[in-house]
Amino acid sequence: MTRPVSVLFVCLGNICRSPLAEAIFVHQARARGVEGRFRVDSAGLGRWHEGERADPRSIAVGAARGVEVLSVARQIRPPDDFDAFDWLIAMDRANVEGLTRAGAAPERIRLMLSFGPSGVVEVPDPYTGTARDFERVFELLEPACAGLLEWLLDHDERAGTIGE
Ligand code: 4NP
């Protein structure tokens, strides 16, 4: 038996980008029949939106593509989250810095788009933007989540078939 691989998606407010990333990842893992190999959550560096559902624009852009965004915002909880999660997936470099400053081990942190095909490095913060900015976030996240899922299945023996 293997335990699930745990993945925490992290952004600033935990209402726009990381809830969408979490929802897309879960959707894709379910579609591939591997959802049970993962424990997935999301959190924000800030606590302004604790307890709130995701931004309606994130919920809408997901719903339009069959992805249900269910998360309720919370702030990261150091050091518990850093002990509990195998991987911390940051949306931009500022998130990486925030996680590092809060005490996360650098080797557990990855940039979300490092798993994507594009030359884009950061998922732009859409909070003060338009619906189109949220669509762009989805378009960046979808292939990156697929890449992350593939990478975890290939490279993290806890997610792969070893031990089953
Ligand atoms: P997120 O977007 O980090 O993608 O959830 C933001 C949401 C809220 C704020 C900033 C970014 N805010 O300052 O409240």
Side-chain angles (χ1 to χ4, degrees), residues 11-17 48-49 125 127:
C11 63
L12 184 56
N14 192 214
I15 54 168
C16 299
R17 294 166 292 174
W48 314 285
H49 299 282
D125 183 348
Y127 184 54

Side-chain angles (χ1 to χ4, degrees), residues 108-125:
R108 290 203 188 182
I109 307 172
R110 293 289 186 279
L111 268 173
M112 178 83 255
L113 296 190
S114 67
F115 300 100
S118 69
V120 185
V121 175
E122 303 182 293
V123 184
D125 183 348

Side-chain angles (χ1 to χ4, degrees), residues 5-142:
V5 175
S6 49
V7 182
L8 184 67
F9 293 92
V10 177
C11 63
L12 184 56
N14 192 214
I15 54 168
C16 299
R17 294 166 292 174
S18 61
L20 200 49
E22 175 189 2
I24 293 169
F25 184 91
V26 168
H27 180 82
Q28 292 175 346
R30 189 174 298 150
R32 291 190 55 168
V34 294
E35 190 189 1
R37 298 189 200 174
F38 299 96
R39 186 166 74 82
V40 183
D41 196 3
S42 65
L45 286 150
R47 62 179 301 265
W48 314 285
H49 299 282
E50 281 253 7
E52 293 176 21
R53 294 282 314 274
D55 188 289
R57 296 166 295 179
S58 281
I59 294 175
V61 84
R65 292 159 177 82
V67 174
E68 204 177 4
V69 180
L70 296 169
S71 92
V72 174
R74 71 171 179 90
Q75 190 175 29
I76 55 162
R77 290 189 281 266
D80 295 2
D81 281 336
F82 305 152
D83 295 332
F85 286 91
D86 301 312
W87 299 105
L88 306 168
I89 308 297
M91 298 298 127
D92 60 32
R93 290 192 188 97
N95 303 155
V96 173
E97 275 170 36
L99 285 167
T100 309
R101 218 175 303 122
E107 62 268 23
R108 290 203 188 182
I109 307 172
R110 293 289 186 279
L111 268 173
M112 178 83 255
L113 296 190
S114 67
F115 300 100
S118 69
V120 185
V121 175
E122 303 182 293
V123 184
D125 183 348
Y127 184 54
T128 57
T130 65
R132 174 69 196 125
D133 295 313
F134 282 75
E135 281 171 18
R136 172 75 176 144
V137 166
F138 191 98
E139 286 161 10
L140 290 168
L141 288 175
E142 191 174 45

